[in-house]
Amino acid sequence: MLGPDILIAMDRDTGGSLRSLRMINQERLLSLLLTHGPMHRAGLARRADLSRTTVSTIITELMAHGLVVESDGDSGIHHDGRAREMLAVNPTAAAVTGMDFTFNAVWVHVSDLGRQEIASGGAPLDPALTPAGRIDIGITLLDRLLAQHGLDRGRVIGAGIGVPGPIDRATGVVGVSLPGQPWSHVHAAEEFGRRLGVPVFIENNTRLEAIAEAHWGAGSGVSNLFYFGLSSGIGSGLVLDGRVYRGAIGAAGELGHVSVNIDGPACPCGNRGCLVGYAGIPAVLAALRPALGDDVTIERVLAATAAGDRACLGVLADVGTVVGRVLANLCNLLNPERIVVGGELSRAGEALLSPIRDAVRRYALSLVRDVDVVPSALDLGARAGAVGGAALVLTETPSLAAALDRLATKEAT
């Protein structure tokens, strides 16, 4: 016969296990509602692989804490107590933020739990500014945006931060892909977490653009997506089977440093003939200086392209061809359903996209050559990256239910 001490210990273990299981199931249901939007109880039970009784019990708890509300499935969420067919995360229960840092600017985006924008704004950065100075400006901008909408920073439950460069998934330290990057060797998640006091996700900023396009842009509804941005640099993001792919250490996506000519010019990364040396904005401007003058800018190139300038059309055709050859190899390897082209050069439209498509069709295997190649649908650069940062919080925050529950309990007292 078991003694009373053992029975008490077993009871405590059982209670702890049940509480842990309940929290796991709460996380699962909240994650499904955040990812898929309003759902019927039956559909929620089916996707979560839980009984309807279990789902009803957990949903009742979440509703009591103001974390889940009943909805008619439209964009408006109803709080009047009438029976509704659908369930949704209460969008006003908390807020999340995304920040995206380029070399000379930062953009901050704040959204509710329904992914609706609350506030958004940017600020310039001195390229020589230290990481600490960049963090100061980003957080000051966040606080200003929150204050404009009557929100306290305590309602923010997570932040997704985009910075240039690869992020080591094991250490959280920003790596070095090119010399002179301001975040190199910085544990950015730790620094931001110390200042904000919430879970922080640090991600390559082009990958955040990919996440934004996958959720709300040209990649919406696509499970296998490749996004790349053609700007001064060339970065990319992969979504495979609906999940962001980062690679073994977080360095996946350095498309700009794929070598397209082993005898080509040296690249600052240490390689030769990198794609960015043929298709980045500096390469485009250099190729067009003889025709457009030494003071040529990307804005002037885009305007001349729209007016049908033959030199611009020719250079962009060359860029599209070399990019398309690289993408053909990627299609052979990964077979994406759609390729989304972003970055400043994407504003050239069909002058760039048509040569890319032609090269993909010519050089990819017949099984994969009909991949969609489309322009990005969202704002370029840091604006899209900041939106992607907010989406990252909603899809990858550990213990999201616990964080929301703590906030709801704190406000109730």
Side-chain angles (χ1 to χ4, degrees), residues 146-192:
L146 291 172
Q148 289 172 357
H149 289 78
L151 294 175
D152 183 83
R153 201 202 297 171
R155 294 192 60 78
V156 176
I157 59 169
I161 314 293
V163 299
I167 292 85
D168 190 312
R169 305 304 298 179
T171 65
V173 175
V174 181
V176 181
S177 60
L178 289 174
Q181 291 181 324
W183 297 96
S184 297
H185 306 300
V186 175
H187 198 310
E190 188 175 274
E191 296 297 327
F192 273 101

Side-chain angles (χ1 to χ4, degrees), residues 75-393:
S75 57
I77 301 297
H78 299 267
H79 303 270
D80 58 8
R82 291 177 290 171
R84 298 287 176 182
E85 291 294 322
M86 309 286 276
L87 298 166
V89 172
N90 182 358
T92 65
V96 297
T97 186
M99 297 184 191
D100 194 80
F101 291 83
T102 63
F103 290 104
N104 58 8
V106 59
W107 195 270
V108 176
H109 175 91
V110 182
S111 75
D112 63 23
L113 298 186
R115 301 186 183 183
Q116 295 300 307
E117 180 179 307
I118 295 174
S120 185
L125 297 174
D126 183 337
L129 197 62
T130 65
R134 291 168 182 267
I135 292 173
D136 285 341
I137 292 175
I139 292 178
T140 298
L141 178 57
L142 170 63
D143 287 339
R144 184 163 69 243
L145 292 172
L146 291 172
Q148 289 172 357
H149 289 78
L151 294 175
D152 183 83
R153 201 202 297 171
R155 294 192 60 78
V156 176
I157 59 169
I161 314 293
V163 299
I167 292 85
D168 190 312
R169 305 304 298 179
T171 65
V173 175
V174 181
V176 181
S177 60
L178 289 174
Q181 291 181 324
W183 297 96
S184 297
H185 306 300
V186 175
H187 198 310
E190 188 175 274
E191 296 297 327
F192 273 101
R194 185 181 301 114
R195 295 286 302 276
L196 291 171
V198 297
V200 171
F201 298 88
I202 299 295
E203 190 57 90
N204 173 270
N205 46 16
T206 306
R207 198 174 288 145
L208 286 187
E209 294 171 32
I211 292 170
E213 288 288 344
H215 281 282
W216 296 291
S220 179
V222 175
S223 296
N224 293 281
L225 171 74
F226 183 74
Y227 169 89
F228 73 100
L230 285 169
S231 193
S232 294
I234 300 176
S236 65
L238 279 164
V239 177
L240 301 178
D241 291 331
R243 298 181 64 85
V244 178
Y245 180 77
R246 297 178 172 90
I249 63 169
E254 292 291 344
L255 186 73
H257 297 287
V258 171
S259 180
V260 296
N261 180 5
I262 59 173
D263 297 318
C267 178
C269 76
N271 201 358
R272 300 190 70 89
C274 290
L275 178 63
V276 68
Y278 295 86
I281 286 178
V284 171
L285 297 182
L288 287 171
R289 284 193 184 104
L292 300 182
D294 291 340
D295 59 347
V296 62
T297 63
I298 186 59
E299 294 298 335
R300 187 176 171 195
V301 170
L302 293 171
T305 300
D309 182 271
R310 293 182 63 182
C312 291
L313 292 173
V315 168
L316 289 174
D318 291 340
V319 168
T321 298
V322 70
V323 168
R325 287 168 57 189
V326 172
L327 293 178
N329 290 324
L330 183 137
C331 289
N332 291 343
L333 182 66
L334 297 175
N335 184 207
E337 180 180 350
R338 186 170 299 162
I339 295 173
V340 178
V341 185
E344 291 172 275
L345 277 182
S346 69
R347 291 186 291 162
E350 287 302 310
L352 177 68
L353 293 174
S354 183
I356 290 177
R357 294 190 193 102
D358 290 344
V360 170
R361 280 194 291 267
R362 178 177 178 183
Y363 294 106
L365 293 171
S366 59
L367 286 172
V368 300
R369 66 177 50 149
D370 291 327
V371 59
D372 287 338
V373 179
V374 300
S376 60
L378 303 177
D379 287 332
L380 298 177
R383 294 191 181 202
V387 172
L392 192 65
V393 175

Side-chain angles (χ1 to χ4, degrees), residues 16-65:
S17 297
L18 289 174
R19 283 191 295 272
S20 177
L21 180 60
R22 184 169 66 250
M23 185 58 68
I24 290 171
N25 287 335
Q26 286 180 349
E27 293 280 351
R28 189 180 305 173
L29 297 183
L30 282 173
S31 177
L32 286 169
L33 291 173
L34 285 168
T35 302
H36 299 286
M39 297 176 65
H40 292 280
R41 280 176 170 80
L44 195 56
R46 184 171 58 254
R47 285 181 178 269
D49 195 23
L50 296 171
S51 71
R52 292 195 58 175
T53 300
T54 298
V55 168
S56 293
T57 300
I58 294 172
I59 289 298
T60 299
E61 295 174 353
L62 293 173
M63 292 180 72
H65 288 105

